[in-house]
Amino acid sequence: MNETVNTFEAQQQGRPTGPLVRGYEVIIGFETHAQLSTASKIFSRASTAFGAEPNTQACAVDLALPGTLPVMNKGAVERAIKLGLALGSHIAPRSVFARKNYFYPDLPKGYQISQFEIPVVQGGAVTFFVGEEQKTVRLVRAHLEEDAGKSLHEDFIGQSGIDLNRAGTPLLEIVTEPDMRSTAEAVAYAKELHKIVTWIGICDGNMQEGSFRCDANVSVRRPGEKLGTRREIKNLNSFKFMQQAIDYEIRWQIDEIEDGRAIEQATVLFDPDTGETRAMRAKEDSADYRYFPDPDLPPLVIAADWIERVKAEMPELPRAMAERYVRDHGLSEYDAAQLTQSAALAGYFDEAVKAGATPKLASNWITGEMARRLNAAEIGIEAAPVKAQQLAQLVKRIADGTLPNNAARQVFEALWTGEGSDVDAIIEAKDLKPMNDAGALDKILDEVIAKNAKNVEEYRGGKEKALNALVGQVMKASGGKANPAQVTELLKAKLS
């Protein structure tokens, strides 16, 4: 729960500006809490399983009862090392735990064990795409800390309940520089970070359960002015709410400034029912937390051979996989980035190519028709009705000229709906084989030319688009069985 530093003027020199909002530049930094995928808590053996009855998974260590001492969870440290390796960060050979003092009803010790001056992961960067434009956000740090408990309000009239099951749950707090310049960049960054932590297996990424939650520090300024006063939007647990909250906060701050009021540093919450942010409390600075080294925990020492062992066990990272797709398959950087949005999606593509699909065609179908249907059905690639081998068979029939695009979409529809499972059998059943009868095709061409004198005249007058209309008429008359490229060449020859 550290704060993104608000004194980055020197570091901001030369940083790109983003699209202005009503004449203001938007500055966004992120603090993300990723719950680590360990079975036990960061300083005790209590379970981290989600959904247990309240206060059944909070042991004496989590409650800091007299006579108890915290003991570091080795698995949590390994997961921090993995993140550092994945993001190109420096992994500190020696880092220190500190007590962060503040009082909440659901923080039983009255302080949180975190890291302050010397975090375990330092620097690094996250690179991602906004549309087809590549962006990079620099990281300040990622530090290990324990989570607090949870206050429950819904089931109590005039009272709050306290569930301490989350107390002591291991977290990595990942803090960025204020490098983002738009809501689109902020959401794209959060999605990329979510992809990375789930890809390397250090976090399950379940936002509804609080395993991956983001705090956005938002400020606005006129271009060239010093950084404005930021407000921190806490606990954004969906990408949709993240976009809505940041957009609202930007508008609100600009309205306040335009009306002559100063922005006050504060922590705010987003209400998805109203679509508005509201102040929760005045924002503290680090001095308010009275950090000091935790006397119960020795410095965390990470030997170089430990880092090397973890590195050897790491999976191929998405950015390395994307580079391989560009190098080995001739894909664009954008297509490669789209295919590596998840390990499952990349695995699907790899399986299709292994089954004989042309990489570029397979990529087009996966990021096009397949993605559209997955989004509409709100399912992941793991649940896609069309298996990778089926897509490969479809792509091969497109590549060898058996299937024009229109016919291919009909085959895909049959595979998706379960009407058929074998591509060749569907082609036979639907009579989708291409027209190979030269005489029949020539007759269709003559009929289309005779019925579309205006398009013929426009094409001969130099309007290339008129030819597309004629090709479309031929494809329609042939029931989609003609080869569009062949039709185009034949029409050009007849009309020349």
Side-chain angles (χ1 to χ4, degrees):
M1 298 181 184
N2 276 20
E3 294 72 41
T4 304
V5 180
N6 200 23
T7 55
F8 284 110
E9 295 300 331
Q11 299 176 22
Q12 289 301 298
Q13 295 302 318
R15 297 298 296 174
T17 58
L20 299 183
V21 179
R22 290 162 53 186
Y24 288 83
E25 183 183 12
V26 176
I27 312 292
I28 303 171
F30 258 67
E31 300 161 21
T32 301
H33 293 88
Q35 178 178 323
L36 299 176
S37 57
T38 56
S40 58
K41 295 185 179 179
I42 190 167
F43 300 121
S44 79
R45 294 183 178 181
S47 173
T48 58
F50 181 81
E53 287 296 312
N55 299 305
T56 59
Q57 294 179 175
C59 73
V61 175
D62 306 324
L63 303 180
L65 295 183
T68 61
L69 289 173
V71 177
M72 188 68 224
N73 184 328
K74 184 179 179 181
V77 178
E78 284 213 349
R79 285 158 177 78
I81 295 172
K82 282 185 177 182
L83 181 77
L85 291 170
L87 301 182
S89 309
H90 170 67
I91 299 165
R94 180 183 181 276
S95 59
V96 176
F97 285 96
R99 290 185 179 181
K100 181 182 181 182
N101 296 274
Y102 62 97
F103 176 78
Y104 286 158
D106 50 17
L107 189 70
K109 292 195 289 284
Y111 61 86
Q112 177 195 34
I113 301 177
S114 182
Q115 293 186 308
F116 181 54
E117 292 181 326
I118 310 177
V120 62
V121 176
Q122 302 166 9
V126 175
T127 299
F128 53 94
F129 281 87
V130 178
E132 296 192 19
E133 185 178 1
Q134 192 176 65
K135 302 282 187 178
T136 297
V137 169
R138 300 166 298 162
L139 300 182
V140 179
R141 58 194 281 148
H143 58 265
L144 287 161
E145 65 182 20
E146 61 179 348
D147 205 352
K150 185 177 182 181
S151 297
L152 307 172
H153 312 290
E154 293 81 3
D155 299 328
F156 303 91
I157 299 175
Q159 296 178 313
S160 291
I162 302 295
D163 180 6
L164 296 175
N165 281 347
R166 288 192 68 91
T169 297
L171 302 176
L172 257 182
E173 181 173 353
I174 305 156
V175 183
T176 76
E177 304 278 17
D179 283 351
M180 287 156 274
R181 294 293 179 268
S182 69
T183 303
E185 274 189 55
V187 174
Y189 160 79
K191 287 182 176 179
E192 184 69 16
L193 184 62
H194 183 273
K195 176 182 77 175
I196 292 169
V197 298
T198 53
W199 187 293
I200 62 179
I202 68 169
C203 173
D204 66 19
N206 192 317
M207 300 180 78
Q208 289 71 35
E209 295 178 1
S211 299
F212 185 90
R213 55 191 194 269
C214 300
D215 305 336
N217 288 282
V218 181
S219 66
V220 298
R221 67 176 176 186
R222 292 287 188 185
E225 293 183 354
K226 67 177 184 179
L227 289 176
T229 301
R230 75 191 186 281
R231 302 213 315 166
E232 181 183 29
I233 313 171
K234 293 290 289 185
N235 294 331
L236 297 169
N237 63 354
S238 88
F239 299 122
K240 177 182 177 182
F241 293 161
M242 187 182 298
Q243 178 178 343
Q244 293 173 350
I246 296 173
D247 279 342
Y248 176 83
E249 182 64 24
I250 291 168
R251 294 194 301 269
W252 183 88
Q253 289 192 24
I254 293 174
D255 286 343
E256 289 292 294
I257 294 170
E258 293 288 294
D259 289 341
R261 291 184 288 270
I263 304 298
E264 295 184 3
Q265 187 170 310
T267 297
V268 304
L269 295 176
F270 175 67
D271 185 341
D273 294 328
T274 64
E276 299 176 348
T277 57
R278 57 180 175 83
M280 182 172 66
R281 63 177 184 269
K283 179 67 179 171
E284 299 91 345
D285 286 315
S286 59
D288 299 317
Y289 292 118
R290 305 186 314 283
Y291 284 99
F292 69 90
D294 193 303
D296 293 335
L297 284 163
L300 173 61
V301 177
I302 300 175
D305 59 350
W306 189 5
I307 296 173
E308 289 304 312
R309 179 177 62 77
V310 173
K311 185 176 183 179
E313 297 169 356
M314 291 272 286
E316 184 180 22
L317 296 172
R319 66 170 179 268
M321 188 175 287
E323 289 169 1
R324 176 166 60 83
Y325 287 169
V326 172
R327 181 182 66 250
D328 296 350
H329 297 319
L331 301 183
S332 69
E333 289 187 358
Y334 176 77
D335 285 344
Q338 295 300 107
L339 290 170
T340 52
Q341 287 301 305
S342 71
L345 188 64
Y348 186 100
F349 171 75
D350 285 339
E351 194 174 342
V353 172
K354 188 176 180 181
T358 304
K360 179 57 179 173
L361 269 176
S363 169
N364 290 345
W365 276 84
I366 292 170
T367 60
E369 186 68 18
M370 178 70 78
R372 183 181 68 79
R373 289 177 179 264
L374 292 174
N375 290 336
E378 296 184 343
I379 58 175
I381 192 71
E382 304 92 331
V386 181
K387 304 308 175 189
Q389 295 88 343
Q390 294 173 315
L391 184 74
Q393 191 181 12
L394 174 66
V395 166
K396 283 191 284 186
R397 291 295 169 264
I398 298 170
D400 65 19
T402 300
L403 280 177
N405 279 335
N406 285 341
R409 279 191 282 271
Q410 294 181 55
V411 175
F412 189 90
E413 171 70 20
L415 292 170
W416 186 272
T417 60
E419 184 182 342
S421 59
D422 181 78
V423 169
D424 290 334
I426 294 170
I427 293 172
E428 286 289 340
K430 291 184 173 292
D431 190 24
L432 295 174
K433 285 187 176 179
M435 180 178 287
N436 293 318
D437 186 337
L441 179 57
D442 194 63
K443 183 180 178 181
I444 291 174
L445 289 168
D446 289 339
E447 290 176 353
V448 167
I449 289 172
K451 292 178 181 178
N452 294 272
K454 182 180 179 182
N455 285 329
V456 170
E457 184 181 348
E458 288 179 349
Y459 172 69
R460 285 175 170 160
K463 292 185 178 180
E464 288 291 328
K465 287 184 178 180
L467 184 66
N468 296 335
L470 293 170
V471 172
Q473 290 296 319
V474 174
M475 295 303 298
K476 182 179 179 181
S478 69
K481 294 181 181 180
N483 185 311
Q486 182 186 16
V487 169
T488 300
E489 293 305 312
L490 291 173
L491 278 172
K492 285 181 177 178
K494 281 183 175 288
L495 298 176
S496 62

